[in-house]
Amino acid sequence: MKRKVTLKQIAKELDVSISTVSKSLRNSLEIGEETRLKVQAFAKFYNYKPNNIALSLKNKKTKTIGIIIPEIVHHFFSTVINGIEQVANEFGYSVIICLSDDSFEKEVRNMEMLANGSIDGFIMSLSKETQLKGDFHHITEVINQGMPVIMFDRVTNEILCDKVIIDDKYAAYEAVQSLIDKGKKKIALVTTVDYVSVGKLRTDGYTKALLDNNIPFDDNLIIKIENIDTCEIIIGKLLEDKAIDAVFAVNELFAVTCIKTANKIGLTVPQDFAVIAFTDGIISKYSTPTITTVSQNGLKMGNKAAKMLIDRLELEETEEENYTTEVIETYLIERESTN
Amino acid sequence: MKRKVTLKQIAKELDVSISTVSKSLRNSLEIGEETRLKVQAFAKFYNYKPNNIALSLKNKKTKTIGIIIPEIVHHFFSTVINGIEQVANEFGYSVIICLSDDSFEKEVRNMEMLANGSIDGFIMSLSKETQLKGDFHHITEVINQGMPVIMFDRVTNEILCDKVIIDDKYAAYEAVQSLIDKGKKKIALVTTVDYVSVGKLRTDGYTKALLDNNIPFDDNLIIKIENIDTCEIIIGKLLEDKAIDAVFAVNELFAVTCIKTANKIGLTVPQDFAVIAFTDGIISKYSTPTITTVSQNGLKMGNKAAKMLIDRLELEETEEENYTTEVIETYLIERESTN
């Protein structure tokens, strides 16, 4: 399928701003006649379809924010939503949520549906499949139509837009350092496969902490779980084969599975080994022992993402994009599993 | 504020069907001229505003389902959403979710926003505040505009529409009976305050099970938790004061708090007392001991609600409403807390 020419491409070609192109296509008198006609002629030549939705959006505000997230079963995403809702309500915005179910096709379909006049802007976290494919045309199109997009947590460098992230590498580094500070030397990393951006960064942080402390990196201590159903077996093997003294798990489900598997084979946490989990959720708080976690600060992430979006929606149209990436600080919540 | 006259009221007044009123107001030639003019005159007299949105909805399908739920932090609602998504995807529908945050005002606002052309029909569970106020005018209005509404879990008898529920009373009865079958006699009920419909029904089931087994009902064994923060203190008092041998908790948070509080004062579950929780969630599965639960079968509930809505959307317009209430079966998942 031939890719349609976008506002951005026209702008680049003619060396004017996107806003100038957009206004010219709306025949705005703010733009000098020569530029206006040139843009219009160019757009016609390339068969550019002035998107009525995008044009109407410039004028009609819905006061609604669209959220696209992979899923809601994980506590982290629920918390981010709560954070977005808080700020949205404060500023009189409504919130609509759609799930991509980690599917590229559903992410595209839901974005197109919402961009169709229901909302003013997006806050989104990429689906696994989208990250794997590296196809972000649906996001580019929405942005080119003049609709702001804020990405959080699972983001990509391929798209220029505002982003809210945590420093996954540093957060992992700190967690592993805290284990080393407690005298742990044989620290296993229980992680997912690498195609989600954050997984890679957390592994980097783990590795760096070991190296900075002159602890040899051992590939056998990195356990990749592809399917939660096989998690217990794989962890059981880890605990039986290697005399590890700590586990750093990239999510709390892996962490609690470590603890329960340990119990089954006669090991106890934290006596036999310590456990830290990434993402502070409901399991860590209520498991026995309670689990020390890296808090991703989902509420603050949601607050910030909503504020960035509303700022973009309510500030006067700017000629130049000026995107920022906000890094939300994480912190360690010390509980029983590392005592 | 004077209540606007609805399609339903006009229909009742003139003794014709809602569909006839609706078609007459659209000036459909399907309706005889006399009736048509009478309806139009009546509507004009009562200052009925033909809702353009509703009219356009009759013709324009969005192939989108709107969900309104109180919150998503609880695993039950996430599961219902997954169930709705499954069926919706199968039939080519998209899904939009809005949260009421248990607020009446947000529920009304979100329903009005979505009814405004974004969706074809609603699947909803009432907010606590709506149940407390007993004000359902926003739902009546949507239904009168010809938009189908399916209610699940937190429903009301005040609204005639399709509903998907579990038999909360019977499910509670069965759970308590299973404790009695294990020889338990002093069974505490840890519940919420009564204004949510399901809470009342579960208490009724608890009481009936005791009476049917000639166990005296003891008001002191019914613990009502208004605020989760005070949960531990109240449960601590229960465990220290009364020599109970089982707890039936209306949610898994109360159940896990019972177990953790017991541990703190030197009691062990299930040795010292058994625990059953309503709602099978992620905490019950991963707590130590794992918790026996009544599964509310959220996935099936979601499947059924979506199927009912899509049937209503895709079947030919019927003259008479013919609403059904589907009762989804629950089942007990036996785990360590009752062994």
Side-chain angles (χ1 to χ4, degrees), chain B residues 228-303:
Chain B
I228 189 74
D229 298 332
T230 59
C231 184
E232 194 172 324
I233 296 160
I234 296 170
I235 287 172
K237 231 178 121 42
L238 166 76
L239 296 178
E240 276 173 351
D241 292 358
K242 331 253 188 303
I244 57 156
D245 53 22
V247 166
F248 173 48
V250 297
N251 63 50
E252 57 171 9
L253 222 51
F254 292 171
V256 75
T257 305
C258 281
I259 292 172
K260 290 196 152 276
T261 310
N263 290 344
K264 279 186 193 159
I265 59 176
L267 297 173
T268 317
V269 174
Q271 290 78 356
D272 291 309
F273 64 97
V275 172
I276 290 188
F278 222 98
T279 342
D280 187 47
I282 204 157
I283 295 176
S284 301
K285 207 168 155 189
Y286 290 104
S287 84
T288 305
T290 54
I291 302 172
T292 296
T293 57
V294 177
S295 169
Q296 278 182 287
N297 223 335
L299 204 67
K300 195 161 179 185
M301 208 175 232
N303 286 164

Coordinates of all heavy atoms in Angstrom, one line a residue, chain B residues 228-303:
Chain B
I228 N -10.7 0.4 54.3 CA -9.7 -0.6 54.3 C -8.6 -0.4 55.3 O -8.0 -1.3 55.8 CB -9.2 -0.9 52.8 CG1 -8.3 -2.2 52.8 CG2 -8.5 0.3 52.3 CD1 -9.1 -3.4 52.8
D229 N -8.3 0.9 55.6 CA -7.3 1.2 56.5 C -7.5 0.7 57.9 O -6.6 0.5 58.7 CB -7.0 2.7 56.5 CG -6.6 3.3 55.1 OD1 -6.0 2.5 54.4 OD2 -6.9 4.4 54.8
T230 N -8.8 0.6 58.3 CA -9.1 0.2 59.7 C -9.3 -1.3 59.7 O -9.6 -1.8 60.8 CB -10.3 1.0 60.2 OG1 -11.4 0.6 59.3 CG2 -10.2 2.5 60.2
C231 N -9.3 -1.9 58.6 CA -9.6 -3.3 58.4 C -8.8 -4.2 59.4 O -9.3 -5.0 60.1 CB -9.3 -3.7 57.0 SG -9.6 -5.4 56.6
E232 N -7.4 -3.9 59.5 CA -6.6 -4.8 60.3 C -6.9 -4.7 61.8 O -7.0 -5.7 62.5 CB -5.1 -4.4 60.1 CG -4.1 -5.4 60.6 CD -2.7 -5.1 60.2 OE1 -2.5 -4.6 59.0 OE2 -1.8 -5.3 61.0
I233 N -7.2 -3.5 62.2 CA -7.5 -3.3 63.7 C -8.8 -4.0 64.0 O -8.9 -4.7 65.0 CB -7.7 -1.7 63.9 CG1 -6.3 -1.1 63.7 CG2 -8.2 -1.5 65.4 CD1 -6.4 0.4 63.5
I234 N -9.8 -3.8 63.2 CA -11.1 -4.4 63.4 C -11.0 -5.9 63.4 O -11.6 -6.6 64.3 CB -12.2 -3.9 62.4 CG1 -12.3 -2.4 62.6 CG2 -13.5 -4.6 62.6 CD1 -13.2 -1.7 61.5
I235 N -10.3 -6.4 62.5 CA -10.2 -7.9 62.4 C -9.3 -8.4 63.6 O -9.6 -9.5 64.1 CB -9.6 -8.3 61.0 CG1 -10.6 -8.1 59.9 CG2 -9.1 -9.7 61.1 CD1 -10.1 -8.3 58.5
G236 N -8.3 -7.7 64.0 CA -7.5 -8.1 65.1 C -8.4 -8.2 66.4 O -8.3 -9.2 67.1
K237 N -9.3 -7.3 66.5 CA -10.2 -7.3 67.7 C -11.1 -8.5 67.6 O -11.3 -9.2 68.6 CB -11.1 -6.0 67.6 CG -11.1 -5.3 69.0 CD -11.9 -4.0 69.0 CE -13.0 -4.0 70.0 NZ -12.6 -4.6 71.3
L238 N -11.6 -8.8 66.4 CA -12.5 -10.0 66.2 C -11.7 -11.2 66.6 O -12.2 -12.1 67.4 CB -12.9 -10.1 64.7 CG -13.5 -11.4 64.3 CD1 -14.9 -11.5 64.8 CD2 -13.5 -11.5 62.8
L239 N -10.5 -11.4 66.1 CA -9.7 -12.6 66.3 C -9.3 -12.8 67.8 O -9.3 -13.9 68.4 CB -8.5 -12.7 65.5 CG -8.7 -12.7 64.0 CD1 -7.4 -12.7 63.2 CD2 -9.5 -13.9 63.5
E240 N -9.0 -11.7 68.5 CA -8.6 -11.7 69.9 C -9.8 -12.0 70.8 O -9.7 -12.7 71.8 CB -7.9 -10.5 70.3 CG -6.4 -10.5 69.9 CD -5.7 -9.2 70.1 OE1 -6.3 -8.2 70.4 OE2 -4.4 -9.2 69.9
D241 N -10.9 -11.4 70.5 CA -12.1 -11.4 71.4 C -12.9 -12.7 71.3 O -13.3 -13.3 72.4 CB -13.0 -10.2 71.2 CG -12.4 -8.9 71.6 OD1 -11.2 -9.0 72.1 OD2 -13.0 -7.9 71.4
K242 N -13.1 -13.1 70.1 CA -14.1 -14.3 70.0 C -13.3 -15.5 69.5 O -12.4 -15.4 68.6 CB -15.1 -13.9 68.9 CG -15.4 -12.5 68.8 CD -16.8 -12.2 69.3 CE -17.3 -10.7 69.0 NZ -16.4 -9.7 69.5
A243 N -13.6 -16.6 70.0 CA -12.9 -17.8 69.6 C -13.6 -18.4 68.3 O -14.3 -19.3 68.4 CB -12.9 -18.9 70.7
I244 N -13.4 -17.7 67.2 CA -14.1 -18.1 66.0 C -13.3 -19.3 65.3 O -12.1 -19.5 65.6 CB -14.1 -17.0 65.0 CG1 -12.7 -16.4 64.6 CG2 -15.1 -15.9 65.4 CD1 -12.7 -15.8 63.3
D245 N -14.0 -20.1 64.5 CA -13.3 -21.2 63.8 C -13.3 -21.0 62.3 O -12.8 -21.8 61.6 CB -13.8 -22.5 64.3 CG -15.3 -22.7 64.2 OD1 -15.9 -22.0 63.4 OD2 -15.8 -23.6 64.9
A246 N -14.0 -19.9 61.8 CA -13.9 -19.7 60.4 C -14.3 -18.2 60.1 O -15.0 -17.6 60.9 CB -14.9 -20.6 59.6
V247 N -13.8 -17.8 59.0 CA -14.1 -16.4 58.5 C -14.6 -16.5 57.0 O -14.0 -17.2 56.2 CB -12.9 -15.5 58.5 CG1 -13.2 -14.2 57.7 CG2 -12.6 -15.1 59.9
F248 N -15.8 -15.9 56.8 CA -16.2 -15.8 55.4 C -16.1 -14.3 55.1 O -16.8 -13.5 55.7 CB -17.7 -16.3 55.3 CG -18.3 -16.0 53.9 CD1 -17.6 -16.3 52.7 CD2 -19.6 -15.4 53.8 CE1 -18.2 -16.1 51.5 CE2 -20.1 -15.2 52.6 CZ -19.4 -15.5 51.4
A249 N -15.2 -14.0 54.1 CA -14.9 -12.6 53.8 C -15.5 -12.2 52.4 O -15.4 -13.1 51.5 CB -13.4 -12.3 53.8
V250 N -16.2 -11.1 52.3 CA -16.8 -10.8 51.0 C -15.9 -10.3 50.0 O -16.3 -10.1 48.8 CB -18.0 -9.7 51.2 CG1 -19.1 -10.2 52.1 CG2 -17.4 -8.4 51.7
N251 N -14.6 -10.2 50.3 CA -13.6 -9.9 49.2 C -12.3 -10.5 49.7 O -12.0 -10.7 50.9 CB -13.6 -8.5 48.8 CG -13.1 -7.5 49.9 OD1 -12.1 -7.8 50.5 ND2 -13.9 -6.5 50.1
E252 N -11.3 -10.6 48.7 CA -10.1 -11.3 49.1 C -9.1 -10.4 49.9 O -8.3 -10.9 50.6 CB -9.4 -11.8 47.8 CG -9.1 -10.8 46.8 CD -8.2 -11.4 45.6 OE1 -8.0 -12.6 45.6 OE2 -7.8 -10.6 44.8
L253 N -9.3 -9.1 49.8 CA -8.5 -8.2 50.6 C -8.8 -8.3 52.1 O -7.9 -8.4 52.9 CB -8.8 -6.7 50.2 CG -7.6 -5.8 50.0 CD1 -6.5 -6.3 49.2 CD2 -8.1 -4.4 49.5
F254 N -10.1 -8.5 52.4 CA -10.5 -8.7 53.8 C -9.9 -10.1 54.2 O -9.4 -10.3 55.4 CB -12.0 -8.7 54.0 CG -12.6 -7.4 53.8 CD1 -14.0 -7.2 53.7 CD2 -11.9 -6.2 53.7 CE1 -14.6 -6.0 53.5 CE2 -12.5 -5.0 53.5 CZ -13.9 -4.9 53.4
A255 N -10.0 -11.1 53.3 CA -9.5 -12.4 53.7 C -8.0 -12.5 53.9 O -7.6 -13.0 55.0 CB -9.9 -13.4 52.5
V256 N -7.3 -11.8 53.1 CA -5.8 -11.9 53.3 C -5.4 -11.1 54.5 O -4.5 -11.4 55.2 CB -5.0 -11.4 52.0 CG1 -5.1 -9.9 51.8 CG2 -3.6 -11.9 52.0
T257 N -6.2 -10.0 54.8 CA -5.9 -9.2 56.0 C -6.2 -10.1 57.3 O -5.5 -10.0 58.2 CB -6.7 -7.9 56.0 OG1 -6.5 -7.2 54.8 CG2 -6.4 -7.1 57.2
C258 N -7.2 -10.9 57.2 CA -7.5 -11.8 58.3 C -6.3 -12.8 58.6 O -5.9 -13.0 59.7 CB -8.7 -12.7 58.0 SG -10.3 -12.0 58.2
I259 N -5.8 -13.3 57.5 CA -4.7 -14.3 57.6 C -3.4 -13.6 58.1 O -2.8 -14.1 59.1 CB -4.4 -14.9 56.2 CG1 -5.5 -15.8 55.8 CG2 -3.1 -15.7 56.2 CD1 -5.5 -16.3 54.4
K260 N -3.1 -12.4 57.6 CA -1.9 -11.7 58.1 C -2.1 -11.2 59.5 O -1.1 -11.3 60.3 CB -1.6 -10.5 57.2 CG -1.1 -11.0 55.8 CD -0.5 -9.9 55.0 CE 0.6 -10.5 54.0 NZ 1.9 -10.7 54.6
T261 N -3.3 -10.8 59.9 CA -3.5 -10.3 61.3 C -3.4 -11.5 62.2 O -2.8 -11.4 63.3 CB -4.9 -9.6 61.4 OG1 -5.0 -8.7 60.3 CG2 -5.1 -9.0 62.7
A262 N -3.9 -12.6 61.8 CA -3.9 -13.9 62.6 C -2.4 -14.2 62.9 O -2.0 -14.5 64.0 CB -4.6 -15.0 61.9
N263 N -1.6 -14.2 61.8 CA -0.2 -14.5 62.0 C 0.5 -13.6 63.0 O 1.3 -14.1 63.8 CB 0.6 -14.4 60.7 CG 0.2 -15.4 59.7 OD1 -0.4 -16.5 60.0 ND2 0.5 -15.2 58.4
K264 N 0.2 -12.3 63.0 CA 0.8 -11.4 63.9 C 0.5 -11.7 65.4 O 1.3 -11.4 66.3 CB 0.3 -10.0 63.6 CG 1.1 -9.4 62.4 CD 0.7 -7.9 62.2 CE 1.3 -7.5 60.9 NZ 0.6 -6.3 60.3
I265 N -0.7 -12.3 65.6 CA -1.1 -12.5 67.0 C -0.9 -14.0 67.3 O -1.5 -14.6 68.3 CB -2.5 -12.0 67.4 CG1 -3.6 -12.7 66.5 CG2 -2.6 -10.5 67.3 CD1 -5.0 -12.3 66.9
G266 N -0.1 -14.7 66.5 CA 0.2 -16.1 66.8 C -0.8 -17.1 66.4 O -0.7 -18.3 66.8
L267 N -1.8 -16.8 65.6 CA -2.7 -17.8 65.1 C -2.3 -18.1 63.6 O -1.7 -17.4 62.9 CB -4.1 -17.2 65.1 CG -4.7 -16.8 66.4 CD1 -6.1 -16.1 66.2 CD2 -4.9 -18.0 67.3
T268 N -2.7 -19.3 63.2 CA -2.4 -19.8 61.9 C -3.6 -20.3 61.1 O -4.5 -20.9 61.7 CB -1.4 -21.0 62.0 OG1 -0.4 -20.8 63.0 CG2 -0.7 -21.3 60.6
V269 N -3.7 -19.9 59.9 CA -4.7 -20.4 59.0 C -4.2 -21.5 58.1 O -3.0 -21.3 57.6 CB -5.2 -19.2 58.1 CG1 -6.2 -19.7 57.1 CG2 -5.8 -18.1 59.0
P270 N -4.8 -22.6 58.0 CA -6.1 -23.0 58.4 C -6.2 -23.7 59.8 O -7.3 -24.1 60.2 CB -6.6 -24.0 57.3 CG -5.3 -24.7 56.9 CD -4.2 -23.7 57.1
Q271 N -5.0 -23.9 60.4 CA -5.0 -24.7 61.7 C -6.0 -24.1 62.7 O -6.8 -24.8 63.4 CB -3.6 -24.8 62.3 CG -2.7 -25.7 61.4 CD -2.1 -25.0 60.2 OE1 -2.5 -23.9 59.9 NE2 -1.3 -25.7 59.5
D272 N -5.9 -22.8 63.0 CA -6.7 -22.2 64.0 C -8.1 -21.8 63.5 O -9.1 -21.8 64.3 CB -6.0 -21.0 64.6 CG -4.8 -21.4 65.4 OD1 -4.9 -22.3 66.2 OD2 -3.7 -20.9 65.1
F273 N -8.2 -21.3 62.3 CA -9.5 -21.0 61.7 C -9.4 -21.0 60.2 O -8.3 -20.8 59.7 CB -10.1 -19.7 62.2 CG -9.4 -18.5 61.9 CD1 -9.8 -17.7 60.8 CD2 -8.3 -18.0 62.6 CE1 -9.1 -16.6 60.4 CE2 -7.6 -16.9 62.3 CZ -8.0 -16.1 61.2
A274 N -10.5 -21.4 59.6 CA -10.5 -21.5 58.1 C -10.9 -20.1 57.5 O -11.6 -19.3 58.2 CB -11.5 -22.5 57.7
V275 N -10.6 -19.9 56.3 CA -11.0 -18.6 55.6 C -11.5 -18.9 54.2 O -10.9 -19.7 53.4 CB -9.8 -17.7 55.5 CG1 -10.1 -16.4 54.6 CG2 -9.3 -17.2 56.9
I276 N -12.6 -18.3 53.9 CA -13.1 -18.4 52.5 C -13.4 -16.9 52.0 O -13.9 -16.1 52.8 CB -14.4 -19.1 52.3 CG1 -14.2 -20.6 52.5 CG2 -15.1 -18.9 50.9 CD1 -15.4 -21.5 52.2
A277 N -13.0 -16.6 50.8 CA -13.2 -15.3 50.3 C -14.2 -15.3 49.1 O -14.2 -16.3 48.3 CB -11.9 -14.6 49.9
F278 N -15.0 -14.3 49.0 CA -15.7 -14.1 47.8 C -14.8 -13.4 46.8 O -13.9 -12.7 47.1 CB -16.9 -13.1 48.1 CG -18.2 -13.5 47.4 CD1 -19.1 -14.2 48.1 CD2 -18.4 -13.2 46.1 CE1 -20.3 -14.6 47.5 CE2 -19.5 -13.7 45.5 CZ -20.5 -14.3 46.2
T279 N -15.0 -13.7 45.5 CA -14.2 -13.1 44.4 C -12.9 -13.8 44.3 O -12.0 -13.7 45.2 CB -13.9 -11.6 44.5 OG1 -14.7 -11.0 45.4 CG2 -13.9 -11.0 43.2
D280 N -12.7 -14.5 43.2 CA -11.4 -15.1 43.0 C -10.5 -14.1 42.3 O -10.7 -13.8 41.1 CB -11.5 -16.4 42.2 CG -10.2 -17.1 42.1 OD1 -9.6 -17.3 43.1 OD2 -9.8 -17.5 41.0
G281 N -9.4 -13.7 43.0 CA -8.5 -12.8 42.3 C -7.1 -13.2 42.5 O -6.8 -14.4 42.8
I282 N -6.2 -12.3 42.2 CA -4.8 -12.6 42.1 C -4.2 -12.8 43.5 O -3.2 -13.6 43.7 CB -4.1 -11.6 41.3 CG1 -2.8 -12.1 40.7 CG2 -3.8 -10.3 42.0 CD1 -2.4 -11.4 39.4
I283 N -4.7 -12.1 44.5 CA -4.2 -12.2 45.9 C -4.4 -13.6 46.4 O -3.5 -14.2 47.0 CB -4.9 -11.2 46.8 CG1 -4.5 -9.8 46.4 CG2 -4.4 -11.4 48.3 CD1 -5.2 -8.7 47.2
S284 N -5.6 -14.2 46.2 CA -6.0 -15.5 46.8 C -5.0 -16.5 46.3 O -4.7 -17.5 47.0 CB -7.4 -15.8 46.4 OG -8.3 -14.9 46.9
K285 N -4.7 -16.4 45.0 CA -3.9 -17.4 44.3 C -2.4 -17.4 44.9 O -1.7 -18.4 44.9 CB -3.9 -17.1 42.8 CG -3.7 -18.2 41.9 CD -4.0 -17.8 40.5 CE -3.2 -18.7 39.5 NZ -3.4 -18.1 38.1
Y286 N -1.9 -16.2 45.2 CA -0.5 -16.0 45.6 C -0.3 -15.8 47.1 O 0.9 -15.6 47.5 CB 0.1 -14.9 44.7 CG 0.2 -15.3 43.3 CD1 -0.6 -14.8 42.3 CD2 1.2 -16.3 42.9 CE1 -0.5 -15.2 41.0 CE2 1.3 -16.7 41.6 CZ 0.5 -16.1 40.6 OH 0.6 -16.5 39.3
S287 N -1.3 -15.7 47.9 CA -1.0 -15.5 49.3 C -0.6 -16.8 49.9 O -0.7 -17.9 49.3 CB -2.3 -15.0 50.0 OG -3.1 -16.0 50.4
T288 N -0.1 -16.7 51.2 CA 0.4 -17.9 51.9 C -0.4 -18.0 53.2 O -0.2 -17.1 54.0 CB 1.9 -17.9 52.2 OG1 2.6 -17.7 50.9 CG2 2.3 -19.2 52.8
P289 N -1.2 -18.9 53.5 CA -1.7 -20.0 52.5 C -2.5 -19.4 51.4 O -3.1 -18.3 51.5 CB -2.5 -20.9 53.4 CG -3.1 -19.9 54.4 CD -2.0 -19.0 54.7
T290 N -2.6 -20.1 50.3 CA -3.6 -19.7 49.2 C -5.0 -19.8 49.8 O -5.2 -20.5 50.7 CB -3.4 -20.7 48.0 OG1 -3.6 -22.0 48.5 CG2 -2.0 -20.5 47.4
I291 N -5.8 -19.0 49.2 CA -7.2 -18.8 49.8 C -8.3 -19.4 49.0 O -8.3 -19.3 47.8 CB -7.5 -17.3 50.0 CG1 -6.4 -16.6 50.9 CG2 -8.9 -17.1 50.6 CD1 -6.5 -15.1 50.9
T292 N -9.1 -20.2 49.7 CA -10.3 -20.8 49.1 C -11.3 -19.7 48.7 O -11.5 -18.8 49.5 CB -11.0 -21.8 50.0 OG1 -10.1 -22.9 50.3 CG2 -12.3 -22.3 49.5
T293 N -11.8 -19.7 47.5 CA -12.6 -18.6 47.1 C -13.9 -19.0 46.3 O -13.9 -20.1 45.8 CB -11.9 -17.6 46.1 OG1 -11.4 -18.4 45.0 CG2 -10.7 -16.9 46.7
V294 N -14.9 -18.1 46.3 CA -16.0 -18.3 45.5 C -15.7 -17.6 44.2 O -15.4 -16.4 44.2 CB -17.3 -17.6 46.1 CG1 -18.4 -17.7 45.1 CG2 -17.6 -18.1 47.5
S295 N -15.6 -18.3 43.1 CA -15.3 -17.7 41.8 C -16.5 -17.0 41.3 O -17.6 -17.7 41.1 CB -14.7 -18.6 40.8 OG -14.7 -18.0 39.5
Q296 N -16.4 -15.7 41.0 CA -17.6 -15.0 40.4 C -17.6 -15.2 38.9 O -18.5 -14.7 38.2 CB -17.4 -13.5 40.7 CG -17.9 -13.1 42.0 CD -17.8 -11.6 42.2 OE1 -16.6 -11.1 42.4 NE2 -18.9 -10.9 42.2
N297 N -16.6 -15.9 38.3 CA -16.7 -16.2 36.9 C -16.8 -15.0 36.0 O -17.7 -14.9 35.2 CB -17.9 -17.1 36.7 CG -17.6 -18.3 35.8 OD1 -16.7 -18.2 35.0 ND2 -18.3 -19.3 35.9
G298 N -16.0 -14.0 36.3 CA -16.0 -12.7 35.6 C -15.9 -12.8 34.1 O -16.5 -12.1 33.4
L299 N -15.1 -13.8 33.7 CA -14.9 -13.9 32.2 C -16.2 -14.3 31.6 O -16.6 -13.7 30.6 CB -13.8 -15.0 32.0 CG -13.1 -15.0 30.7 CD1 -12.2 -13.8 30.6 CD2 -12.2 -16.3 30.5
K300 N -16.9 -15.3 32.2 CA -18.1 -15.8 31.6 C -19.2 -14.6 31.7 O -20.0 -14.5 30.8 CB -18.6 -17.0 32.4 CG -19.7 -17.8 31.7 CD -19.8 -19.2 32.3 CE -21.0 -19.9 31.5 NZ -21.2 -21.2 32.1
M301 N -19.2 -13.9 32.8 CA -20.1 -12.8 32.9 C -19.9 -11.8 31.8 O -20.8 -11.3 31.2 CB -19.8 -12.1 34.3 CG -21.0 -11.4 34.9 SD -20.6 -10.8 36.5 CE -21.9 -11.5 37.5
G302 N -18.6 -11.5 31.5 CA -18.3 -10.6 30.4 C -18.7 -11.1 29.1 O -19.3 -10.4 28.3
N303 N -18.4 -12.4 28.8 CA -18.8 -13.0 27.6 C -20.3 -12.9 27.4 O -20.8 -12.5 26.3 CB -18.5 -14.5 27.6 CG -17.0 -14.9 27.5 OD1 -16.6 -16.0 27.8 ND2 -16.2 -14.0 27.1

